[in-house]
Amino acid sequence: MKPAEHRPAGDRRTVRPRSVPITSAATARSYVRSVVEEHRGVPSGPAGERAVMDLLLVVSEAVTNAIRHGGGLAGFEVALLPEGVRLSVHDYSDAVPSAAYGPGTLPHAHEGSGYGWPLIIRLSREIHIERRRAGGKTVTVLVPLT
């Protein structure tokens, strides 16, 4: 899966094509880190590095959810904006996770899963879920880098 390479007219996002396919959380994290470092520079100080680590955690959780619960990864996009990084993860499932718009409360007991959405909710400024015409859905989040 390659990151999207087209942009609507007037869109100022930064999307860089990549020759390595995005097929896992690890490749998605590596791609996002490289885009941030290339276009914003290495973050300065602990706050900047912490913001990038939060971003990479959101990337991991969103991509892992698409693979584990969404029938697989159908697409992945990253856009650098003045207010942060917008991630769009496309999968093959029409089902909207029940926890997606919840309060971000962590599970009471460790059962091996259930932490992804609460972390995404806590670390993202915006969350949008849209069904795709071809089937499946797109989860789009905005993660601040400040």
Side-chain angles (χ1 to χ4, degrees):
M1 179 64 40
K2 289 187 180 180
E5 299 177 19
H6 72 283
R7 289 175 265 178
D11 191 346
R12 298 178 307 179
R13 300 182 301 171
T14 302
V15 179
R16 184 171 56 102
R18 182 181 172 96
S19 60
V20 176
I22 304 295
T23 57
S24 69
T27 57
R29 282 191 311 271
S30 177
Y31 173 68
V32 169
R33 181 180 277 283
S34 71
V35 169
V36 169
E37 288 176 352
E38 180 178 326
H39 294 283
R40 288 212 171 164
V42 177
S44 59
E49 184 58 27
R50 188 171 28 252
V52 171
M53 296 307 292
D54 288 350
L55 168 65
L56 298 179
L57 181 56
V58 171
V59 169
S60 289
E61 294 300 334
V63 170
T64 299
N65 283 346
I67 293 168
R68 289 183 72 190
H69 307 293
L73 188 61
F76 181 84
E77 299 171 47
V78 58
L80 295 178
L81 304 171
E83 58 272 18
V85 177
R86 184 172 310 282
L87 303 169
S88 294
V89 179
H90 314 285
D91 68 29
Y92 295 103
S93 172
D94 292 331
V96 174
S98 59
Y101 296 108
T105 305
L106 294 172
H108 295 292
H110 178 67
E111 297 174 4
S113 66
Y115 292 91
W117 271 109
L119 292 172
I120 291 170
I121 290 167
R122 289 173 176 212
L123 299 174
S124 300
R125 189 176 294 156
E126 298 173 12
I127 298 172
H128 300 284
I129 301 174
E130 297 178 39
R131 289 199 163 90
R132 299 177 357 187
R133 276 189 256 154
K137 66 183 168 299
T138 298
V139 175
T140 302
V141 298
L142 175 65
V143 181
L145 280 182
T146 55

